[in-house]
């Protein structure tokens, strides 16, 4: 696991560099997309590169991590719509190449199975962007999630619903209580995991993710088992890391050509 501690703008550039490298090498790259605040600067940077440098998403495929259950098709917080607004529309990504679990399906387990099949059919995810919840969730794999889980329906914790109430007029009751989410096993199949976290409120979750024992109580800790996982954090999110100085020295002495 590589840990990079830098200001948020630099983290976004590093993540965008990794994505651009893949897209330039193989325009049919498969990208895993997160919603929430953490990836927004990365999406801004990709949109800038699309506009100014012609970075193309025409042949790329996107798979979202998760989706709320029951939000109407036109709800602005439906993750499919959030992804459309925050990244897909800004990089002219063909709509039929960006996929998410169907939170409006009559048969939710069948929708989850179909989603797993679609990811497999696409050849798996090359690079998965991730954020982390204050309770250590990735995607919506809340504490107690099986470390081998696949896409399925989950109940959001009260903490996650409170954290996300800011997107719902600060009204926790408007935040759905259920979601469909890629499982930890699904996420672990991606070839490169890139997690972004900023702010002091993420410091404990980041400490557990990087330095804690692997445990379903902190689901992100499963990433310690991934052969290519990158954790991009600002000073505040890194503030509880025991080996912070070591991670800083390691990144400073890394040759620039190496990438993430
Ligand atoms: C969203 C997702 C979640 C968020 C996490 C952090 O698709 O999968 O795991 O990444 O809740 O949210 P933010 O980035 O808003 O702090």
């Amino acid at each position: 696991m590589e840990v990079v501690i830098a200001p948020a703008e630099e983290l976004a550039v590093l993540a965008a560099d990794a994505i651009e490298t893949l897209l330039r090498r193989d325009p049919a790259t498969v990208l895993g997309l997160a919603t929430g605040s953490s990836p927004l600067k990365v999406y801004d940077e990709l949109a800038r590169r699309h506009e100014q440098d012609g970075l193309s998403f025409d042949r790329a495929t996107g798979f979202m991590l998760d989706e709320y259950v029951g939000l109407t098709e036109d709800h602005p917080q439906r993750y499919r719509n959030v992804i459309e607004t925050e990244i897909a529309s800004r990089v002219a990504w063909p709509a039929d190449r960006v996929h998410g679990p169907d939170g409006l399906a009559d048969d939710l387990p069948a929708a989850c199975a179909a989603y797993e099949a679609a990811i497999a059919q696409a050849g798996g995810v090359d690079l998965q962007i991730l954020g982390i919840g204050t309770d250590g969730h990735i995607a919506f794999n809340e504490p107690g999630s099986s470390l081998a889980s696949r896409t399925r329906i989950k109940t959001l914790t009260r903490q996650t619903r409170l954290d996300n109430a800011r997107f719902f007029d600060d009204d926790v009751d408007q935040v759905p209580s259920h979601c469909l989410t890629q499982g930890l096993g699904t996420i672990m199949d991606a070839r490169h995991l890139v997690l972004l976290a900023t702010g002091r409120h993420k410091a404990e979750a980041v400490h557990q993710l990087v330095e804690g024992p692997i445990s379903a109580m902190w689901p992100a800790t499963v990433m310690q088992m991934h052969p290519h996982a990158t954790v991009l954090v600002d000073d505040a999110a890194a503030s509880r890391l025991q080996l912070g100085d070591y991670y800083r020295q390691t990144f400073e002495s890394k040759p620039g050509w190496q990438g993430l």
Side-chain angles (χ1 to χ4, degrees):
M1 181 177 281
E2 179 176 27
V3 181
V4 180
I5 304 169
E9 284 68 25
E10 280 176 40
L11 302 176
V13 168
L14 287 170
D17 283 348
I19 292 169
E20 176 162 5
T21 300
L22 286 176
L23 284 170
R24 300 265 183 217
R25 193 184 300 151
D26 177 9
T29 286
V30 180
L31 296 173
L33 304 169
T35 40
S37 305
S38 303
L40 292 182
K41 283 189 164 55
V42 181
Y43 296 156
D44 289 345
E45 180 62 17
L46 291 173
R48 191 192 65 72
R49 293 178 192 204
H50 169 74
E51 235 168 70
Q52 294 176 8
D53 311 330
L55 183 64
S56 173
F57 288 73
D58 276 358
R59 294 181 50 211
T61 300
F63 284 99
M64 293 160 43
L65 279 173
D66 39 22
E67 181 61 273
Y68 290 117
V69 169
L71 288 188
T72 53
E73 270 195 23
D74 59 351
H75 196 293
Q77 288 309 319
R78 185 177 174 236
Y79 277 176
R80 186 65 189 80
N81 297 335
V82 173
I83 285 292
E84 183 63 24
T85 306
E86 300 295 355
I87 177 72
S89 63
R90 300 168 73 197
V91 298
W93 204 335
D96 62 347
R97 303 196 69 91
V98 180
H99 309 278
D102 182 1
L104 287 171
D106 289 334
D107 185 342
L108 292 171
C112 293
Y115 197 59
E116 286 279 334
I119 297 173
Q121 174 79 25
V125 171
D126 293 305
L127 184 150
Q128 176 65 59
I129 302 168
L130 295 163
I132 186 168
T134 55
D135 63 2
H137 69 231
I138 50 174
F140 276 140
N141 293 281
E142 297 285 30
S145 291
S146 157
L147 301 182
S149 49
R150 312 300 304 188
T151 303
R152 67 210 183 293
I153 187 166
K154 285 292 286 183
T155 306
L156 298 173
T157 61
R158 175 91 183 151
Q159 183 61 54
T160 296
R161 293 178 68 225
L162 285 169
D163 287 347
N164 287 2
R166 69 192 192 280
F167 297 116
F168 292 83
D169 307 324
D170 283 324
D171 177 5
V172 68
D173 293 331
Q174 287 184 42
V175 184
S177 47
H178 291 90
C179 64
L180 302 185
T181 180
Q182 286 191 31
L184 294 170
T186 318
I187 293 167
M188 288 290 284
D189 285 347
R191 287 179 271 281
H192 185 189
L193 303 181
V194 178
L195 183 141
L196 293 117
T198 55
R200 192 163 293 271
H201 61 305
K202 298 291 177 78
E204 176 63 13
V206 166
H207 162 61
Q208 293 291 340
L209 152 66
V210 177
E211 297 172 335
I214 296 173
S215 161
M217 283 305 288
W218 290 94
T221 56
V222 72
M223 289 174 60
Q224 293 177 26
M225 299 290 289
H226 196 284
H228 192 184
T230 307
V231 175
L232 303 175
V233 286
D234 69 356
D235 279 326
S239 58
R240 298 207 54 188
L241 289 173
Q242 286 169 12
L243 299 185
D245 289 345
Y246 172 63
Y247 307 134
R248 284 189 178 86
Q249 284 159 20
T250 305
F251 189 66
E252 273 163 23
S253 56
K254 183 177 173 177
W257 52 262
Q258 210 172 5
L260 293 180

